[in-house]
């Protein structure tokens, strides 16, 4: 007895069970890539002799692997954002700063810690080392100004607000040497390192480093969305909670407008909000900044990298998206502990393509701290005055803050009251002044 060949149906030309759809092919490829990545990460971990160091390394690589598999999944299934569901935030989701009650109880400051994101280098402005040690004003650096602000706060109100720096492996050594000079100041300074993830070879989808101590150029700090896990893993989170701290105010170290605001702190305490994001009105200079949106009734951060190509102009529109994220964030510490320990965090993956000096194309997978807003209770935005957003990203920005447009008072920059317009002029220096 002769049996028909199992692929007899192919002779009709209508069906081929062995041919894979594009989606199936992507899924199969993703599975192979995930397995190969897991194998390489295990090999790297097993090369570490010290058991404690190996455990810390494995924990870090587990988080990296989770990010990598989500990247593969999104790559094979396409973007998850449904543009038709992107709505402007409701009035309850964005509270005007002017509507906040005035705080007359500085005792609340004893519940607060201040954290600066200090992982960046000053390469954009042609500097070597941490960006935070660039001189900004009157011989003082970004760090000096921040320390002076917190020290003044502690002395003025007789409170103890600790100052925390989240460094990267790029900035940690230099920062640790520099903070020693603040030893005699009335301020507790704590530091911890964010994770160190391996860059991914774009062709092979395998980690670039061949050993755990591979060349520094083969590793990267994975964006400030890593803050929650790193804060938890470092022990800083538990320490702050044990010391009676309940809230943390987070901002970029180069945002000179991000000073402690008692009214926002009081509002947070009174309303039981676990996460507040300071937003401000968008101008034509801010079209790339992330914005808060309403997505299926939940407030979410929308970054330009998540926007489908055909809707980029909509995203840049000042009419539809009128505010943007300053990255000044107020978060409940116990809520951070909850979302990290219960593995609730699922931050949008930001894919950063780079080319190394060797010409090898690599991928960096990053996350943004603000995108965690969807995981916290009673989270929303506060529309703050533009004065709370004064970032120094370029020499043009530096030119502004060193000018007499601003005066310096206890480490805080205030716009000169003699200026007729309380808006910041747009300054663009030529390429010869870029460094």
């Amino acid at each position: 007895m002769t049996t028909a060949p199992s692929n007899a149906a192919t002779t009709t030309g209508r069906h081929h069970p062995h041919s894979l759809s594009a989606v199936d092919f992507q899924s199969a490829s993703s599975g192979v890539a995930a397995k190969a990545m897991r194998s390489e990460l295990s090999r790297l971990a097993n090369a570490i002799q010290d058991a404690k160091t190996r455990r810390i390394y494995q924990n870090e690589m587990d988080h990296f692997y989770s990010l990598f598999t989500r990247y593969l999944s999104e790559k094979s299934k396409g973007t998850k954002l449904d543009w038709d569901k992107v709505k402007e935030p409701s009035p309850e989701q964005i509270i005007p700063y002017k509507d906040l009650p005035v705080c007359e109880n500085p005792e609340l400051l004893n519940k607060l810690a201040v954290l600066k994101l200090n992982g960046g280098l000053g390469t954009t402005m042609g500097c070597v080392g941490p960006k935070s040690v660039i001189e900004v004003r009157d011989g003082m650096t970004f760090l000096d100004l921040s320390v002076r602000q917190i020290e003044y706060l502690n002395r003025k109100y007789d409170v103890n607000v600790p100052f925390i720096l989240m460094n990267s492996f790029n900035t940690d050594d230099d920062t640790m040497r520099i903070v020693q000079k603040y030893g005699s100041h009335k301020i507790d300074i704590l530091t911890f390192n964010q994770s160190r993830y391996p860059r991914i070879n774009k062709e092979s989808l395998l980690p670039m480093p061949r050993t755990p101590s591979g060349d520094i150029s083969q590793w990267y700090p994975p964006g400030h969305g890593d803050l929650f896990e790193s804060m938890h893993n470092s022990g800083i989170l538990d320490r702050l909670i044990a010391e009676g701290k309940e809230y943390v105010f987070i901002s970029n170290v180069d945002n000179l407008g991000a000073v402690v605001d008692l009214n926002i702190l009081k509002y947070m305490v009174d309303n039981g909000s676990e996460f507040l994001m300071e937003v401000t009105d968008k101008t034509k200079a801010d079209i790339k900044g992330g914005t808060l949106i309403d997505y299926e009734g939940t407030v979410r951060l929308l970054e330009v990298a998540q926007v489908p190509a055909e809707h980029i102009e909509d995203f840049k529109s000042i009419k539809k998206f009128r505010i943007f994220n300053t990255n000044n964030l107020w978060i409940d510490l116990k809520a951070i502990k909850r979302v990290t320990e219960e593995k609730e965090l699922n931050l949008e993956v930001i894919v950063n393509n780079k080319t190394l000096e060797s010409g090898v194309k690599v991928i960096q997978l990053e996350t943004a701290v603000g995108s965690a807003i969807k995981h916290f209770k009673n989270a929303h935005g506060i529309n703050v005055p533009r004065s709370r957003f004064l970032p120094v990203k370029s020499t043009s920005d530096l030119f502004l803050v060193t000018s007499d447009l601003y005066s310096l008072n206890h480490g805080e920059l205030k716009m000169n009251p003699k200026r007729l317009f309380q808006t910041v002029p747009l300054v663009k220096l030529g390429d010869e002044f870029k460094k």
Side-chain angles (χ1 to χ4, degrees):
M1 179 179 171
T2 312
T3 56
S6 60
N7 62 344
T10 61
T11 56
T12 64
R14 282 174 288 173
H15 178 59
H16 195 316
H18 294 307
S19 66
L20 292 170
S21 71
V23 174
D24 290 338
F25 179 78
Q26 287 275 17
S27 297
S29 301
S30 295
V32 171
K35 195 173 178 181
M37 176 63 81
R38 173 52 87 193
S39 173
E40 275 296 294
L41 295 177
S42 297
R43 186 186 64 75
L44 288 169
N46 290 334
I48 299 171
Q49 300 301 314
D50 180 66
K52 185 182 176 185
T53 307
R54 185 165 61 246
R55 270 198 310 276
I56 293 168
Y57 182 85
Q58 281 176 325
N59 187 35
E60 209 165 68
M61 290 307 104
D62 284 346
H63 290 303
F64 166 73
Y65 181 71
S66 172
L67 194 62
F68 179 68
T69 52
R70 283 201 291 121
Y71 158 71
L72 291 176
S73 172
E74 288 176 22
K75 192 178 169 197
S76 63
K77 294 174 185 171
T79 180
K80 294 182 292 186
L81 188 79
D82 182 345
W83 191 256
D84 292 334
K85 294 179 180 176
V86 173
K87 310 289 182 202
E88 278 189 78
S90 66
E92 301 80 46
Q93 290 170 329
I94 307 285
I95 309 296
Y97 177 83
K98 61 180 171 53
D99 291 354
L100 302 188
V102 175
C103 177
E104 292 167 354
N105 177 19
E107 268 291 302
L108 285 177
L109 288 168
N110 280 315
K111 297 182 176 184
L112 183 70
V114 170
L115 189 154
K116 295 286 182 182
L117 303 169
N118 185 46
L121 296 168
T123 48
T124 310
M125 290 192 269
C127 296
V128 177
K131 185 175 185 180
S132 56
V133 300
I134 293 174
E135 279 192 15
V136 179
R137 184 75 190 235
D138 301 349
M140 286 191 287
T141 65
F142 288 104
L143 264 186
D144 292 335
L145 294 177
S146 295
V147 168
R148 197 160 174 183
Q149 286 168 23
I150 304 302
E151 186 183 31
Y152 174 68
L153 208 61
N154 287 340
R155 286 189 191 281
K156 182 180 178 182
Y157 297 115
D158 191 26
V159 292
N160 180 24
V161 177
F163 181 62
I164 308 158
L165 293 166
M166 181 172 87
N167 301 330
S168 69
F169 63 86
N170 287 321
T171 63
D172 188 54
D173 285 348
D174 287 337
T175 302
M176 292 305 286
R177 280 197 295 274
I178 290 156
V179 296
Q180 289 175 13
K181 72 177 182 180
Y182 306 123
S184 61
H185 293 244
K186 183 180 165 52
I187 184 170
D188 290 335
I189 299 179
L190 308 172
T191 67
F192 67 99
N193 260 13
Q194 69 177 118
S195 302
R196 186 185 74 149
Y197 284 177
R199 283 174 161 161
I200 304 161
N201 184 299
K202 194 170 184 178
E203 295 302 317
S204 66
L205 290 183
L206 290 173
M208 286 296 295
R210 305 299 299 152
T211 65
S213 56
D215 187 80
I216 198 167
S217 67
Q218 298 175 337
W219 304 85
Y220 72 99
H224 40 59
D226 177 58
L227 175 137
F228 304 105
E229 296 289 354
S230 295
M231 221 177 157
H232 184 271
N233 295 341
S234 67
I236 290 276
L237 183 61
D238 285 336
R239 176 175 169 175
L240 291 172
I241 293 170
E243 290 174 359
K245 306 304 172 192
E246 296 179 32
Y247 308 97
V248 61
F249 172 45
I250 300 162
S251 63
N252 296 339
V253 76
D254 64 3
N255 179 6
L256 297 174
V259 297
V260 171
D261 187 287
L262 268 165
N263 296 347
I264 298 177
L265 179 58
K266 175 180 165 55
Y267 173 83
M268 187 173 196
V269 174
D270 291 349
N271 285 272
S273 297
E274 290 186 346
F275 192 117
L276 294 176
M277 175 185 287
E278 292 185 37
V279 296
T280 195
D281 291 340
K282 194 193 267 193
T283 68
K284 287 182 179 176
D286 313 307
I287 54 175
K288 288 184 179 176
T291 189
L292 283 183
I293 58 167
D294 179 295
Y295 194 83
E296 298 183 317
T298 305
V299 66
R300 282 178 52 171
L301 178 68
L302 177 65
E303 297 275 13
V304 66
Q306 298 164 253
V307 179
E310 64 272 24
H311 295 291
I312 289 290
E313 290 310 310
D314 288 352
F315 177 79
K316 290 178 178 179
S317 162
I318 297 174
K319 288 180 183 174
K320 181 164 184 177
F321 300 109
R322 287 173 283 199
I323 46 123
F324 73 97
N325 169 27
T326 64
N327 220 35
N328 298 349
L329 309 169
W330 300 74
I331 313 181
D332 184 299
L333 288 166
K334 285 181 180 170
I336 294 177
K337 188 172 171 69
R338 184 190 72 235
V339 297
T340 49
E341 291 188 348
E342 295 180 8
K343 311 287 184 198
E344 291 177 18
L345 287 172
N346 184 20
L347 309 185
E348 282 74 19
V349 182
I350 299 166
V351 182
N352 194 347
N353 291 290
K354 298 258 183 186
T355 304
L356 301 183
E357 283 185 8
S358 60
V360 176
K361 289 184 168 24
V362 296
I363 298 168
Q364 294 181 185
L365 303 178
E366 302 172 11
T367 54
V369 62
S371 64
I373 192 168
K374 63 187 178 185
H375 294 294
F376 290 84
K377 295 169 186 170
N378 195 12
H380 48 277
I382 305 276
N383 193 343
V384 298
R386 183 77 185 200
S387 58
R388 292 189 58 76
F389 184 67
L390 185 58
V392 179
K393 301 292 183 192
S394 65
T395 49
S396 300
D397 298 333
L398 193 59
F399 179 80
L400 268 177
V401 299
T402 55
S403 74
D404 63 0
L405 182 66
Y406 293 97
S407 58
L408 193 59
N409 187 23
H410 302 295
E412 188 177 340
L413 286 175
K414 297 275 191 185
M415 191 174 284
N416 193 322
K418 291 180 181 176
R419 179 164 169 78
L420 294 175
F421 306 100
Q422 288 300 297
T423 53
V424 179
L426 185 63
V427 172
K428 284 194 175 179
L429 299 177
D431 282 347
E432 60 269 40
F433 301 109
K434 195 173 181 182
K435 303 294 184 187

